[in-house]
Amino acid sequence: MEFMVSLYLNQMKMRSWGELRRDLKTFYENAYYTAFSIFSLKGGLTLEFEIKDRDAGARLGRFKVKGRVVETPLFLPVYNPNIPVITPNEMKEKYGFKAIMTNAYIIYKNEVLRDKALKEGIHGLLNFDGVVFTDSGAYQSFKGKLELRQEEIVKFQENIGVDVGVMLDVPSRGESFEECRESVIETAKRGEEWSTLRAREEIAWEGVIQGGAYPELLELSCKLMSKFDFDIFAVGVPPKYWMSYDFELIAIQGLNSRMNISPEKPLHAFGMGNPLVLSLLVAIGYDVFDSASYAIYAKDGRYMTEWGVKRIEELDYLPCDCPVCLSMDVGELKIMAREERVKFLARHNLYMILREMNAIKQAIRENRLWELVQQRARAHPKLLESLIRVFKDGWNYFKAVDPIRKRAALFYSGEETTLRPELKRALERVKERLGCDRIPSALSETYPFGQSILKSGILNFDGKSYDDLEKIRIIADYQFGSEVGSKLIPEDVFIEKSKRTGRIRRIWIGDTLIGALRPSDGFISLSLEGALRLKKILQPPKYRVYVSGNDKLIQMVKSGGDVFSRFVAKCDLEIVPKEEVIVVDQNDSLLAVGQAVLAGFEMGRFRRGVAVKVRKGVEE
Ligand SMILES: [Zn+2]
């Protein structure tokens, strides 16, 4: 089998892209797919990722490796044991980094370090008890120094007890389509080889996606690499891209990789440590970053800020309140001995990255990540261009994963605001579900229309006045689909309004509650009775999540327990996070009503974490 796969990959190199694509389809449908799906069941996967909160394409999540839990988005400061600037211990104690990255190849090549690592383990060598990721040295091959077989470095990473290792990929220089394709195919062969070398189950491994910024090659690479049991996928960013500030190519690489690998797999951007670009990369769905930029910039006399990297000669002030800047005078800094200055700059730069990561995580919590990205994009025209490209190329993806309603208002933050997925999707729904060109005033309190502060002319309301029944029916159509409103909410309902604000609060049929209107975003929250009515109106599987499992599990959901992703048998694939959903058993009998945490296409694919937060179970 192994021989056959390698032979196949060799043949692929000789074909045109069109032929290759056609072939690939047959390839999956035949031997390769069958053999490797059996293989996949055999290999135990070490790491399970779960989403806790989200915004844009970003995932605030967590995973556990060797008993240690880390939160994503995760930044790994890179430590080079040959050129120590900030020790791993200081990274942990002063900055709170629970995970770092170092290079297994550098340790392997240095006899003293190698012996110590083999004797004391990587954690002993680094004097660090957090999570250690190690790179394998593939990047060093750019410099032509590499004489390394994958077997040596995979075994070495296992022998020194790393937490997360990286396969030895074949990087590309991002020069041409052919050169990138070569690297995709050679890396896939290495992936196959890796799967025969891996011996220790507790170590998590990263597989590497190649393909430059060519969407079709990235797709090919993701499909090939997904056949192996990697825990995380890392994207090989050709140095050429970041050296020339080509953020657009970097973003397109990330976006296409994210769209083509399982949502359950964390995605790692190799070597990305410029704080300017981190928020954009998180927004497209990158989960892990590593970089030595804080130290590399420091050696070059450069100081990171939120609006770009400055040379210290340019600085008359230190625009930062980190502990090292507060205790430093800018005049002193300029005349400081080089070695001391490098230490100062490295410490400041690392604080800067930490602050940006915290700002990003807080923005996800508040659902205003796109606005943070838009602000950062003002620091460099190339960054703004890449954001616009990301909005366009990622539209179908963001439409599926960006939450349907948000905690924060949508603020106008520049021309590209009209490309924001929340806004485009909402306007598309008005057209498709309500058949209107202009937004009915009935939606003037519903997200995002009621919560947006935009330039005039972006939102065009029809200016008509609607009575309460018409209003609530239009909201139901917007939320659940064409013509749902008139069936869900009959003529004889009682609409309860707030005495204080005069706004609609609850909808009743006689003494039975159908639903309530959420004051913050104007969406309908269904009662069980409302969910039953909706289920009768909508054809399966619309807005449904089907749970499978034993009686005990079904009983838990009926009593109001959340639905875990791994118990989702199937669902409406078009469900968007934060949508109101109906939870049913395999026979389409109602179990509960709640809100989606995952997108429909993600449900069942995550082995850990909640797919639907249940508000009310039928036997509660
Ligand atoms: Zn500072």
Side-chain angles (χ1 to χ4, degrees):
M1 188 61 214
E2 279 158 37
F3 171 71
M4 216 198 86
V5 172
S6 298
L7 186 74
Y8 196 92
L9 289 169
N10 274 329
Q11 285 172 353
M12 278 163 71
K13 277 195 270 185
M14 290 178 268
R15 287 156 199 266
S16 73
W17 179 246
E19 281 172 336
L20 197 141
R21 241 197 129 104
R22 269 196 307 280
D23 256 31
L24 194 69
K25 201 165 168 282
T26 343
F27 186 45
Y28 284 129
E29 285 160 5
N30 297 325
Y32 195 84
Y33 187 82
T34 326
F36 279 90
S37 46
I38 294 163
F39 182 82
S40 298
L41 289 174
K42 197 180 72 190
L45 293 171
T46 306
L47 182 150
E48 291 178 358
F49 176 58
E50 104 184 74
I51 291 186
K52 291 290 193 187
D53 205 348
R54 62 197 309 163
D55 190 33
R59 301 116 59 87
L60 196 65
R62 43 177 259 164
F63 59 79
K64 198 158 135 184
V65 54
K66 286 205 214 159
R68 300 179 182 96
V69 176
V70 288
E71 189 184 52
T72 67
L74 174 69
F75 181 86
L76 308 164
V78 170
Y79 175 72
N80 182 341
N82 283 329
I83 328 167
V85 184
I86 301 177
T87 65
N89 190 50
E90 185 181 344
M91 289 172 183
K92 184 171 178 242
E93 297 302 324
K94 291 214 172 125
Y95 296 79
F97 285 107
K98 290 183 178 156
I100 61 170
M101 190 155 194
T102 189
N103 192 315
Y105 173 72
I106 289 173
I107 298 168
Y108 185 68
K109 283 286 154 187
N110 179 317
E111 211 173 308
V112 179
L113 292 174
R114 182 176 61 206
D115 290 348
K116 196 165 184 230
L118 285 169
K119 214 164 84 202
E120 298 173 14
I122 188 74
H123 298 87
L125 174 75
L126 301 176
N127 184 26
F128 180 74
D129 62 3
V131 174
V132 178
F133 284 60
T134 46
D135 201 352
S136 60
Y139 176 66
Q140 276 66 27
S141 71
F142 273 118
K143 299 168 187 168
K145 286 183 207 154
L146 192 80
E147 292 159 21
L148 186 66
R149 286 178 304 120
Q150 177 164 239
E151 185 175 359
E152 288 173 75
I153 201 70
V154 166
K155 294 282 174 222
F156 182 65
Q157 291 178 87
E158 288 193 336
N159 289 338
I160 61 175
V162 308
D163 298 300
V164 184
V166 178
M167 66 172 286
L168 189 70
D169 61 309
V170 182
S172 88
R173 289 170 177 78
E175 303 276 325
S176 66
F177 186 87
E178 284 68 30
E179 191 255 334
C180 289
R181 187 171 72 182
E182 175 82 11
S183 130
V184 167
I185 291 170
E186 291 305 316
T187 298
K189 284 195 212 162
R190 292 271 181 90
E192 188 190 17
E193 183 190 49
W194 165 85
S195 57
T196 65
L197 295 171
R198 177 194 200 178
R200 287 177 59 178
E201 295 263 312
E202 77 278 16
I203 293 174
W205 286 92
E206 295 197 357
V208 183
I209 305 296
Q210 295 293 350
Y214 300 99
E216 53 275 66
L217 288 183
L218 290 161
E219 186 188 336
L220 172 67
S221 185
C222 289
K223 285 189 171 154
L224 289 172
M225 298 309 288
S226 293
K227 297 297 162 205
F228 311 112
D229 278 342
F230 290 110
D231 299 283
I232 298 177
F233 286 98
V235 178
V237 183
K240 190 175 129 173
Y241 295 178
W242 44 262
M243 280 175 181
S244 58
Y245 274 56
D246 221 327
F247 301 126
E248 188 170 328
L249 296 184
I250 294 170
I252 288 312
Q253 261 198 310
L255 186 63
N256 283 280
S257 304
R258 178 76 278 164
M259 294 190 293
N260 286 296
I261 61 162
S262 167
E264 199 219 9
K265 302 289 180 184
L267 194 63
H268 179 167
F270 270 151
M272 288 295 112
N274 186 335
L276 272 190
V277 76
L278 289 173
S279 56
L280 175 65
L281 297 183
V282 170
I284 62 180
Y286 268 122
D287 306 291
V288 182
F289 303 90
D290 75 275
S291 181
S293 59
Y294 68 97
I296 295 168
Y297 286 6
K299 281 182 196 136
D300 197 27
R302 288 187 288 169
Y303 180 99
M304 290 177 178
T305 74
E306 277 110 343
W307 57 92
V309 180
K310 305 282 166 194
R311 306 202 63 85
I312 45 170
E313 301 83 61
E314 296 176 70
L315 292 174
D316 293 317
Y317 302 91
L318 295 178
C320 170
D321 56 3
C322 79
V324 290
C325 288
L326 281 180
S327 62
M328 177 63 60
D329 177 86
V330 71
E332 261 175 62
L333 176 64
K334 288 181 179 172
I335 53 166
M336 196 181 256
R338 184 186 138 82
E339 203 174 316
E340 211 186 327
R341 196 171 71 188
V342 168
K343 287 220 150 118
F344 163 82
L345 286 172
R347 290 197 169 105
H348 157 79
N349 287 344
L350 195 55
Y351 272 115
M352 187 60 231
I353 291 172
L354 180 66
R355 182 161 60 195
E356 183 65 3
M357 289 307 292
N358 286 335
I360 291 168
K361 288 193 255 188
Q362 183 61 24
I364 298 172
R365 269 274 186 248
E366 293 176 11
N367 289 157
R368 38 166 212 86
L369 183 60
W370 285 128
E371 267 142 48
L372 178 66
V373 177
Q374 287 181 281
Q375 283 166 22
R376 294 293 180 258
R378 263 60 200 175
H380 200 294
K382 283 193 178 179
L383 205 49
L384 182 56
E385 266 172 40
S386 41
L387 173 61
I388 291 170
R389 174 89 189 269
V390 159
F391 277 144
K392 289 179 177 162
D393 286 21
W395 160 234
N396 282 319
Y397 181 67
F398 298 129
K399 188 168 128 178
V401 297
D402 202 358
I404 197 78
R405 50 190 176 78
K406 299 204 170 182
R407 299 180 188 106
L410 197 157
F411 282 175
Y412 181 84
S413 314
E415 290 292 316
E416 75 286 3
T417 306
T418 52
L419 298 172
R420 292 256 310 249
E422 310 97 313
L423 199 55
K424 264 182 82 175
R425 179 177 55 200
L427 292 169
E428 192 182 84
R429 277 193 175 195
V430 166
K431 232 189 181 82
E432 286 175 1
R433 297 189 170 183
L434 306 174
C436 306
D437 285 327
R438 302 176 77 188
I439 307 156
S441 305
L443 293 176
S444 64
E445 285 160 16
T446 302
Y447 187 85
F449 309 119
Q451 290 74 12
S452 298
I453 301 178
L454 299 171
K455 252 172 56 167
S456 61
I458 294 179
L459 296 182
N460 294 306
F461 287 97
D462 64 3
K464 291 184 195 158
S465 64
Y466 294 90
D467 66 28
D468 292 341
L469 181 64
E470 286 170 326
K471 187 172 168 182
I472 198 86
R473 282 176 166 177
I474 287 173
I475 295 172
D477 283 352
Y478 171 73
Q479 192 174 339
F480 299 113
S482 297
E483 289 165 36
V484 170
S486 56
K487 295 172 193 154
L488 183 67
I489 300 146
E491 294 281 344
D492 57 349
V493 287
F494 170 68
I495 296 174
E496 179 193 332
K497 294 170 98 169
S498 158
K499 288 201 180 79
R500 197 171 54 85
T501 62
R503 286 180 168 195
I504 297 174
R505 288 186 62 190
R506 296 190 185 87
I507 310 141
W508 302 83
I509 299 179
D511 290 339
T512 311
L513 182 69
I514 298 300
L517 215 54
R518 301 167 52 92
S520 56
D521 51 49
F523 271 67
I524 299 169
S525 289
L526 293 171
S527 67
L528 285 173
E529 195 53 38
L532 268 177
R533 291 181 68 89
L534 184 67
K535 191 165 78 71
K536 278 185 205 141
I537 298 163
L538 295 172
Q539 286 295 314
K542 272 279 148 219
Y543 283 98
R544 286 166 175 80
V545 174
Y546 295 83
V547 178
S548 73
N550 57 29
D551 293 349
K552 200 176 151 202
L553 183 99
I554 298 286
Q555 195 53 48
M556 271 171 62
V557 176
K558 282 182 176 173
S559 320
D562 291 337
V563 177
F564 286 90
S565 173
R566 65 198 165 110
F567 298 119
V568 174
K570 57 177 179 174
C571 67
D572 175 0
L573 294 175
E574 284 171 19
I575 289 170
V576 175
K578 288 269 187 94
E579 275 198 304
E580 192 75 2
V581 294
I582 319 166
V583 181
V584 294
D585 66 12
Q586 300 270 48
N587 303 318
D588 202 26
S589 301
L590 186 70
L591 301 177
V593 63
Q595 78 174 44
V597 174
L598 299 180
F601 78 94
E602 295 171 334
M603 291 186 189
R605 294 176 80 178
F606 278 81
R607 285 161 301 158
R608 208 168 249 289
V610 171
V612 180
K613 244 177 127 64
V614 166
R615 187 177 333 102
K616 187 90 179 154
V618 289
E619 287 178 13
E620 214 175 316

